[in-house]
Amino acid sequence: MSDEPDLESLRLLVQVAELGSVGKAARAVGIAQPSATKRLAALERRARLPLLVRTPQGSALTDDGKLVVAWAAKLLAAADEFRTSLSALRADRAATLRIAASMTIAEALLPRWLSHLRGQEPSVHVGLTVTNSAEVARLVLKAANVDLGFVEGPGVLEGLASRVVGTDELIVVVTSAHPWARRRRPLTAAELAATPLVVREAGSGTRETLDRVLARHDPVTPQLALGSNAAVKGAAVAGIAPAVLSRHAVESELTAGTLVAVGVADLKLVRRLRAVWPKGRRLTGPAATLLQVI
């Protein structure tokens, strides 16, 4: 035989061994008897061995044929396992959605979005990477096990397609003991820029938005730059300095009164939230469904 055996012909030969005739074997595999006869003859030519003895009572295996059937049964079982495993793998990949999201989106918005997605596709499995917006964009550009990204901030990196999925407002917050908590007039942009703040780390969408809107006011160096919303909130609650965060990130603290929002008169601290994916790639499966239900 060649190095690449004809699996369907081997399957037919196994059926002949089990059922005792070419006609019954042909019906079992869903082909006409003349086609089965030709296929078996071709199999014998390739093997250069007689595999069947044909009699009026039916067909019987030669000794060589019995050996070939024993080997074929193992090969066909392995082939069937391969097909089943491959099909399961495709189904698993089709049902898996790998997301990278900025912290604010992951904490405040994504749980609700994923609940909507599960209503449409109950079997979907979601893997989530939570990081800052710059790293989300990098992961998506690299196609590093990420199907879809969600970022904050005013800009999107080259090479990414995007769609706006919402808006967000940044607010200045202070502990209730801070003098700004009792302030009756809004801050000016110049006052905010002149104050050392607690901010997110470089690369976060929150930080990028703040830096852009304060750039023309010559801002001072931040008091602290921290790597998570929780850390920034903790510093603000401790009274270290005023902080700038997404309103989504501090809703519970504002309700509890541990933080107080301070208005800013002449700054527009609104940003767009975007879904991002590699430019030129069409979203399909759960990724496309998620964008539909947001």
Side-chain angles (χ1 to χ4, degrees), residues 7-121:
L7 294 182
E8 296 311 311
S9 294
L10 291 177
R11 197 179 300 277
L12 177 63
L13 182 65
V14 170
Q15 288 294 319
V16 173
E18 292 179 356
L19 300 175
S21 79
V22 174
K24 291 179 181 178
R27 287 191 293 275
V29 299
I31 62 175
Q33 181 169 339
S35 297
T37 299
K38 290 179 181 178
R39 186 172 290 182
L40 291 169
L43 184 62
E44 287 181 308
R45 286 195 299 272
R46 293 177 63 195
R48 296 192 296 277
L49 291 168
L51 303 176
L52 289 170
V53 176
R54 296 160 182 81
T55 69
Q57 288 75 36
S59 298
L61 294 174
T62 65
D63 289 342
D64 290 334
K66 292 175 183 177
L67 281 174
V68 170
V69 164
W71 298 333
K74 295 179 182 178
L75 180 61
L76 293 169
D80 290 341
E81 182 180 359
F82 174 79
R83 290 192 185 99
T84 300
S85 299
L86 190 61
S87 177
L89 180 62
R90 284 196 298 263
D92 182 65
R93 290 293 179 267
T96 298
L97 176 59
R98 299 162 300 180
I99 296 173
S102 68
M103 291 184 185
T104 299
I105 293 175
E107 294 169 357
L109 300 172
L110 200 55
R112 184 175 76 251
W113 294 348
L114 292 180
S115 176
H116 295 329
L117 173 64
R118 196 164 296 279
Q120 296 292 318
E121 298 196 24

Side-chain angles (χ1 to χ4, degrees), residues 77-187:
D80 290 341
E81 182 180 359
F82 174 79
R83 290 192 185 99
T84 300
S85 299
L86 190 61
S87 177
L89 180 62
R90 284 196 298 263
D92 182 65
R93 290 293 179 267
T96 298
L97 176 59
R98 299 162 300 180
I99 296 173
S102 68
M103 291 184 185
T104 299
I105 293 175
E107 294 169 357
L109 300 172
L110 200 55
R112 184 175 76 251
W113 294 348
L114 292 180
S115 176
H116 295 329
L117 173 64
R118 196 164 296 279
Q120 296 292 318
E121 298 196 24
S123 63
V124 70
H125 307 293
V126 176
L128 176 61
T129 299
V130 181
T131 184
N132 64 44
S133 291
E135 181 65 8
V136 169
R138 189 187 70 82
L139 291 173
V140 174
L141 279 171
K142 285 182 59 181
N145 295 323
V146 174
D147 301 305
L148 188 62
F150 291 97
V151 299
E152 314 153 21
V156 177
L157 291 180
E158 184 178 353
L160 293 179
S162 70
R163 186 184 123 186
V164 175
V165 293
T167 58
D168 183 28
E169 179 191 11
L170 299 185
I171 60 173
V172 179
V173 291
V174 296
T175 181
S176 57
H178 194 279
W180 285 1
R182 297 179 295 278
R183 185 183 176 109
R184 295 188 177 183
R185 290 182 301 168
L187 292 168

